[in-house]
Amino acid sequence: MKKVFAAYLKKSWKNMLFYLGFLGILYLVLYLYNIRQDALRYMILLGGFFCLSAGMLGLIHYLRHYEKVAQAVKGLPDELGEFPESEEITEETYQNRLTELFEDKNALESKMRIGYQEMQDYYGMWVHQIKTPISAMNLLLQTMEENNEEQRKEAVKELKLELFKTEQYVEMVLTYLRVGDISSDMMLCWYKIDTLIRQAVRKYSQMFILKKIKLNYEECRQMVLTDEKWMVFVLEQILSNALKYTKKGAISIYTEPGENLEAGNVAVHKKGQEESVHSVLVIEDTGIGISKEDLPRVFEKGFTGYNGRQDKKSTGIGLYLCKSVCEKLNHDIAIYSVQGKGTKVVLGLSRRELQCDD
């Protein structure tokens, strides 16, 4: 209470001093005009009583106002009550700013809770997914111990495949952790598209052999301004999906004019409508395809679709990461697919030329 009273005096002393000074000047003027002393004393008494009454009423109002403000902020940082009506613009500014900060804090907490829940869901799904290749490797090791030489060779091939899947899952979770802040881990340079594609294909070469999937590759001579590591990651994810859902046939990689990509069932994510895509990179497979109903949602985080639920191999995170990376690199990505006939993933890697005014 003493602290509040001291704050009130600090706020009101100028007004009190002005009133007392005005009363003193009035007394002096009337005294010089020979006004009766009893009248002057009566004026001073009434003026003092009025000044004291106004001060007491102001103090009571100040205490009530303080209590309302204290009650409003009592629940911070978890709850912010309703402020009393502001008496001056400074107080109103503070109240508005505090309200904005509280709302920002709630929004940030909500975002963090959602992110934490999504991470928990993803890790739970990731642990479940990685158990599959580990269990398969255990069974294959038992097969190698119990069966003949020919069966052991076949088991070794399968073991390599399951080990490769395990490595993919580990890389995926590491990428998931880094993708939110890849700007600090990005270095844009000009690269030959062919060089980036060959890195991704080299990584999956064993998968092509083990699954007996043919690769049709037309050399891409164009240059692209991008980040090598993250662009190769996108290409690897697209190849991984193509190999995962292609039981037989081939995977084709080639470039074609961007204006030829307007027909068919398509899911598109574009960084900006001002992009000028003169040629695009296409990765096409002859796999099971994506249903028309699932296609618009393939870039959503955690969405597995009918194929993923049936196959139980999908984490629903790969294409989401591809979209996020392409967004950061200022590239476009689109998916064309017909169920039962295959899927075509299109990457728009060209960039809009800046126009400078003379």
Side-chain angles (χ1 to χ4, degrees), residues 24 41 58 72 115 149 169 174 205 231 265 306 322 338:
R41 285 194 295 270
E149 189 66 25
Y169 285 128
L174 291 174
S205 57
M231 193 64 238
N265 297 325
Y306 176 79
C322 288
V338 177

Side-chain angles (χ1 to χ4, degrees), residues 130-174:
I130 205 170
K131 283 181 179 178
T132 303
I134 291 173
S135 300
M137 283 189 284
N138 285 329
L139 289 173
L140 289 168
L141 286 171
Q142 292 177 16
T143 302
M144 292 171 66
E145 292 173 355
E146 298 170 359
N147 296 326
N148 57 40
E149 189 66 25
E150 188 63 32
Q151 290 172 322
R152 287 179 184 175
K153 289 181 180 180
E154 190 64 31
V156 168
K157 291 182 180 179
E158 293 294 329
L159 187 62
K160 288 180 179 179
L161 182 59
E162 297 301 329
L163 182 59
F164 184 78
K165 290 178 183 177
T166 306
E167 290 175 350
Q168 278 187 290
Y169 285 128
V170 173
E171 287 180 9
M172 181 73 77
V173 76
L174 291 174

Side-chain angles (χ1 to χ4, degrees), residues 32-49:
L32 293 175
Y33 275 91
N34 295 319
I35 302 298
R36 292 168 45 188
Q37 291 294 317
D38 57 340
L40 292 176
R41 285 194 295 270
Y42 187 64
M43 182 197 71
I44 292 295
L45 181 64
L46 287 177
F49 176 76

Side-chain angles (χ1 to χ4, degrees), residues 10-11 21 109 123 138 140 165 251 274 297 316 319 338:
K10 185 177 180 180
K11 176 186 176 184
E109 284 184 349
Y123 284 148
N138 285 329
L140 289 168
K165 290 178 183 177
I251 294 174
E274 297 180 344
R297 300 184 59 194
L319 287 176
V338 177

